[in-house]
């Protein structure tokens, strides 16, 4: 176990928190977008649809790069088994806590809102199981994927630990080479998905398979890229140095993403095309987000630290709060923009209040963080 503390990466902490918190405007704008969701406004907004698509096109790719970066940093501190235990506890315990406390009540609420409670008994055993997997994992899917990636990381990180070989491979890497690599990875993922669609289409609708296999396959390159950025100073500098080419490329790729969303068809390579676009777009946006964050967010602040610490809890509770707002408040607000702003105020305000309440209950602090709570030191008489 390494006892040398790593230098704090304030900008990466801040970016990770902001990406987590972006889930709030993402899901609220989803209510007012043209995309079909659990709850939708009567009339969709073109502007909020565009805003929603923008967030969705890159947010999680960048998030998994940061997760890989910090995961590898901790990998160097602990023995492998201890590292796995610490990492799985940090993401697995909050996920398991959120299922009975958040997503199960959310599911029951949606059954009532959609009027499907009376037809539940008509579903087959598998349909009930699959529905529960989709609905109970819900917005917690990234925590499940992190558990899978952490488990795979036990072997992958051992291979990457040969810093001499890694430095040699990435010592002269360029964004052009990375772009070609991620383009090929996107094509490979698309080929796997299309093959499954041809050979066994129902498997793509299976919730557990989607989360543990398909999502893991898509995000593992970004997770590994984060680990490699920690190992290679050259690679990290490539992301923290502003690149006009990445900015222009991201804009072009986002336009392609929008065109595919508008004119693509699910049975005609729409999802496969999206995977290729978002694989490359995600890579370029790592540069855009990292370089911007390195310039603007690389400092310590009590306010930033508060939201860094609160971001996971706020993200976990925001989803049922958003659906509650969408189901019972949205129908009474006829302006989409006013509804969106009101939703932000309601969800963020409620989430912060709940966060402050949970801080005062040690058991909840443990369950929503996965971190053992320190016992107060008894004063000596």
């Amino acid at each position: 176990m390494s006892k040398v503390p790593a230098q704090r990466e304030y900008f990466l902490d801040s970016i990770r928190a902001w990406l987590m918190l972006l889930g709030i405007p993402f899901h609220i704008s989803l209510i007012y977008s043209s995309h079909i969701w659990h709850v939708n406004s009567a009339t969709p907004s073109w502007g909020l649809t565009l805003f929603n698509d923008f967030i969705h096109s890159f947010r999680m790719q960048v998030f998994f790069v940061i997760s890989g970066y910090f995961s590898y940093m901790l990998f160097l501190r602990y023995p492998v088994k201890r590292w796995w235990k610490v990492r799985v506890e940090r993401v697995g315990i909050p996920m398991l806590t959120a299922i009975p406390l958040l997503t199960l009540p959310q599911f029951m609420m949606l059954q009532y809102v959609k009027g499907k409670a009376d037809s539940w008994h008509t579903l087959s055993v598998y349909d009930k199981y699959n529905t529960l997997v989709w609905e109970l994992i819900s917005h917690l899917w990234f925590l499940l994927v992190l558990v899978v990636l952490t488990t795979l990381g036990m072997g992958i990180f051992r291979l990457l630990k040969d810093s001499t070989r890694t430095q040699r491979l990435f010592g002269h890497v360029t964004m052009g080479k990375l772009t070609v690599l991620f383009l090929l990875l996107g094509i490979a993922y698309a080929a796997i998905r299309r093959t499954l669609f041809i050979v066994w289409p129902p498997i793509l609708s299976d919730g557990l398979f989607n989360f543990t296999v398909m999502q893991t396959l898509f995000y593992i390159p970004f997770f590994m890229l984060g680990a490699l950025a920690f190992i290679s100073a050259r690679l990290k500098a490539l992301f923290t140095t502003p690149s006009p080419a990445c900015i222009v490329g991201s804009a072009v790729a986002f336009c392609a993403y929008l065109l595919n969303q508008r004119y693509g068809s699910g049975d005609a390579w729409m999802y496969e095309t999206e995977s290729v676009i978002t694989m490359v777009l995600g890579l370029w946006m790592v540069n855009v987000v990292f370089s911007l964050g390195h310039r603007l967010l690389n400092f310590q602040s009590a306010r930033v630290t508060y939201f860094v610490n609160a971001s996971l809890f706020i993200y976990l509770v925001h989803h049922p709060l958003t659906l509650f707002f969408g189901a019972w408040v949205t129908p009474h607000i006829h302006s989409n923009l006013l509804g969106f702003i009101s939703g932000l105020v309601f969800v963020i305000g409620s989430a912060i209040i709940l966060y402050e309440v949970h801080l005062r209950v040690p058991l909840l602090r443990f369950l929503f963080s996965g971190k053992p709570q320190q016992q107060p030191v008894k004063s000596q008489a």
Side-chain angles (χ1 to χ4, degrees):
M1 176 176 175
S2 173
K3 298 184 182 299
V4 179
Q7 183 179 357
R8 193 71 176 178
E9 302 282 6
Y10 293 112
F11 78 101
L12 290 179
D13 273 335
S14 295
I15 292 172
R16 179 171 57 180
W18 279 110
L19 291 173
M20 194 87 71
L21 295 175
L22 267 178
I24 299 175
F26 168 73
H27 284 117
I28 296 176
S29 64
L30 196 53
I31 296 174
Y32 299 98
S33 73
S34 59
H35 302 299
I36 304 300
W37 199 40
H38 299 292
V39 289
N40 287 103
S41 62
T43 305
S45 163
W46 178 87
L48 289 173
T49 300
L50 183 65
F51 176 73
N52 182 268
D53 284 337
F54 175 68
I55 296 176
H56 186 256
S57 67
F58 74 91
R59 183 172 69 100
M60 294 312 297
Q61 297 95 305
V62 180
F63 174 84
F64 276 102
V65 172
I66 298 176
S67 296
Y69 186 95
F70 284 124
S71 292
Y72 190 82
M73 180 180 71
L74 290 177
F75 180 80
L76 298 180
R77 293 185 185 179
Y78 298 104
V80 176
K81 292 183 179 179
R82 171 66 177 163
W83 169 79
W84 182 87
K85 181 176 182 295
V86 169
R87 292 298 298 159
V88 169
E89 285 177 348
R90 297 284 174 86
V91 297
I93 292 175
M95 180 184 71
L96 294 176
T97 298
I99 289 175
L101 295 184
L102 297 175
T103 57
L104 179 58
Q106 171 184 286
F107 168 69
M108 296 172 66
M109 177 187 73
L110 289 175
Q111 288 289 100
Y112 174 79
V113 169
K114 293 181 176 181
K116 293 184 177 181
D118 295 336
S119 61
W120 175 256
H121 69 281
T122 64
L123 299 179
S124 66
V125 173
Y126 172 76
D127 286 338
K128 289 179 179 178
Y129 151 78
N130 196 37
T131 299
L132 286 173
V133 169
W134 281 105
E135 299 294 339
L136 297 188
I137 294 178
S138 184
H139 66 299
L140 312 175
W141 67 268
F142 76 101
L143 295 175
L144 178 58
V145 172
L146 281 175
V147 170
V148 177
L149 290 175
T150 299
T151 303
L152 295 174
M154 295 175 70
I156 296 172
F157 285 1
R158 280 175 173 171
L159 297 175
L160 295 181
K161 201 172 180 180
D162 181 2
S163 58
T164 302
R165 181 185 305 171
T166 304
Q167 290 285 2
R168 186 168 62 250
L169 289 174
F170 288 89
H172 303 285
V173 69
T174 64
M175 190 58 71
K177 292 178 181 179
L178 285 176
T179 298
V180 172
L181 174 61
F182 272 71
L183 176 63
L184 294 175
L185 289 171
I187 293 173
Y189 179 87
I192 292 172
R193 191 189 186 284
R194 177 53 54 163
T195 300
L196 290 172
F197 180 78
I198 295 172
V199 175
W200 192 13
I203 194 64
L204 295 175
S205 300
D206 185 272
L208 192 59
F209 180 83
N210 180 273
F211 294 132
T212 59
V213 178
M214 298 307 292
Q215 296 284 48
T216 298
L217 282 176
F218 183 82
Y219 288 109
I220 194 171
F222 295 98
F223 188 75
M224 291 179 61
L225 186 66
L228 290 168
F230 184 89
I231 296 171
S232 172
R234 160 70 181 175
L235 184 58
K236 182 179 177 181
L238 201 62
F239 293 135
T240 56
T241 303
S243 168
C246 285
I247 296 174
V248 174
S250 296
V252 172
F254 179 60
C255 290
Y257 174 85
L258 291 177
L259 291 172
N260 187 55
Q261 286 283 314
R262 299 297 178 271
Y263 302 108
S265 168
D267 294 336
W269 298 88
M270 173 183 172
Y271 297 112
E272 290 79 5
T273 303
E274 179 178 302
S275 66
V276 176
I277 294 171
T278 53
M279 187 72 77
V280 177
L281 172 60
L283 171 68
W284 290 337
M285 284 301 294
V286 171
N287 172 269
V288 175
V289 174
F290 274 33
S291 59
L292 191 63
H294 189 263
R295 180 180 179 181
L296 302 177
L297 302 174
N298 200 22
F299 60 89
Q300 187 176 13
S301 161
R303 186 176 300 175
V304 171
T305 300
Y306 176 86
F307 281 102
V308 167
N309 293 332
S311 59
L312 176 58
F313 179 89
I314 291 176
Y315 180 82
L316 293 179
V317 302
H318 92 278
H319 201 264
L321 290 171
T322 299
L323 291 172
F324 175 88
F325 178 87
W328 280 290
V329 181
T330 292
H332 302 288
I333 303 177
H334 301 293
S335 166
N336 285 336
L337 181 59
L338 179 60
F340 175 72
I341 295 173
S342 300
L344 287 177
V345 173
F346 170 78
V347 173
I348 295 175
S350 301
I352 290 176
I353 292 172
L354 290 173
Y355 175 70
E356 288 295 328
V357 171
H358 115 285
L359 287 179
R360 289 154 176 77
V361 183
L363 178 59
L364 289 178
R365 288 205 309 268
F366 166 71
L367 291 176
F368 280 100
S369 69
K371 300 178 182 179
Q373 302 300 302
Q374 294 181 352
Q375 296 294 331
V377 179
K378 296 181 178 179
S379 59
Q380 297 294 328

